[in-house]
Amino acid sequence: MDIKELQKAYNAKIAEAKAMTTGDMSVEVAEKVNGLLGQADQLKVQIDMAKRLADAEAHAAEPMGTKAAHHGWREAGPDEGMPAVDYDSWREVKVGNQTMRVYIPEAVAQKGYASAFEAYLRKGYRDLGPQDRKTLTAGSDSAGGFLIPEDYHLEIIKKSAAMATIRANARVAQTSRDMAKWPRITYTTDDKYTSGVRMTWTGESPASSTAHRVTEPVFGLLTIPVHTAMASVPFSNDLLEDAAFDVLGIGSSLLGEAFALGENDAFINGNGISRPMGILSKVDETDGPASVNSGSAATLTSGGLIDLAYELPPQYENNAKWFMNKGTEKVIRKIVGTTSGEYEWPVVGNVGALGAVGSALLGYPIVREQFMPDVTTDAYPIVFGDMRGYLVLDRVGLSVQRLDELYAETNITLLLARRRVGGQLIEPWKVKVQKVSNS
């Protein structure tokens, strides 16, 4: 049978099976229909085989130089199916130890193809405009795919931020005003008592009615102002409309990072002018922490670190921690004993002498705070003590506003972030500071 006869027989089997399904089908009718469909499938296989044989015969009879592409399998002719390329425009691609030269198709390199392909990824081919469809069609290969699209990843490559440690270790309070006042007892005589009140051994009969009244407590008032911080990030509306990732989400994340680290820096180094008062801003002043010399004008010493640890009154040791940057920790780890010639705080783990860096020094935890100063002359690279002596005063938490109208004439949308917060070391006796100094 030739292809036409096979096709005619196939159509007859299908028509016969269809005619038997017009009414209610009994079991016998269903079996007959299945039999007819099986015979039709056999005819279909014969039709496909006959078509392949006909294609092969046509290919064999065709001159070698003029063979055209068809649906059968055969060896392609020179440059057959290849798009037109600009041989003056190419890229080098390394594959293993070899370098290959790749030519860019002219249709793909034309103006507008990259944006049309991006629109295709976003919307699909059906929702594209006629111009984008035309551009993509011109740049498509014979199989309907798109050649050499841009390899675009949605991951944003950026650095990792430092850790903000002060808020997590400090005392945090809320206020509904622009400042908060804290009553306190003013007493600086020693670290044993909290005030000047003392008992007197009067005996059975006091000499006078005031013999037991040695010193009365002195009260004071501590005022902590709230400060305002702001930041903004502008985006063009075109970027927001066309970007392949959540630009506003990334902007909000970056603003949150900026505020977390910015306030952390102020909690340590702020001067109190339009910002929180930092821990290191009033060292050795009346309301600031006391310093302990390192024992060297240029670096840290083991003796200075021990002096710092033991200068803290024992009642504040339970929550005491070391706050320093990683560079300062390295200096400490490299302190060598004068007689042994070995590291006094070596890097020792469970196996051998190359374990992980210990997380404690003289029995107290180490907190790596990258906003602490480096080890230089007269610097304060280490704070030791109970960081709950520092108060973080929150008035308004971080808020992010999207402003669409303010810069509408310049095609800009603005993210505006704002926070109101204060900070001050209200219990300076709970921390001590190491000063890089010999005296």
Side-chain angles (χ1 to χ4, degrees), residues 166 169-171 279 319 323 383 385-390 430-431:
I166 302 302
N169 290 277
R171 179 193 304 183
I279 299 169
N319 294 298
F323 292 81
V383 172
D386 185 355
M387 193 55 71
R388 291 184 301 180
Y390 191 89
K430 285 189 175 182
V431 298

Side-chain angles (χ1 to χ4, degrees), residues 280 291-292 294 297 300 373-382 433-437:
L280 302 180
S291 67
V292 178
S294 67
L300 303 175
D374 294 325
V375 178
T376 57
T377 301
D378 293 330
Y380 302 109
I382 302 175
V433 178
Q434 182 92 93
K435 181 179 181 180
V436 182
S437 176

Side-chain angles (χ1 to χ4, degrees), residues 405-426:
E405 302 298 332
L406 183 60
Y407 301 100
E409 293 182 349
T410 57
N411 197 33
I412 293 293
T413 292
L414 189 78
L415 285 185
L416 177 64
R418 180 174 175 270
R419 186 175 210 160
R420 297 183 67 193
V421 63
Q424 189 169 322
L425 188 63
I426 62 173

Side-chain angles (χ1 to χ4, degrees), residues 198 200 202 206-216:
R198 300 290 187 273
T200 301
T202 61
S208 67
S209 61
T210 60
H212 46 76
R213 191 179 304 154
V214 179
T215 304
E216 295 182 355

Side-chain angles (χ1 to χ4, degrees), residues 16 31 35 63 121 144 146 171 174 178 180 182 203 207 211 227 234 254 300 322 324 337 343 354 366 377 386 418:
E16 184 179 356
E31 290 179 353
L121 291 179
F146 302 106
R171 179 193 304 183
Q174 299 283 338
D178 61 347
W182 293 67
H227 305 283
L254 295 178
L300 303 175
W322 304 89
M324 65 186 79
Y343 294 134
L354 296 175
I366 296 175
T377 301
D386 185 355
R418 180 174 175 270

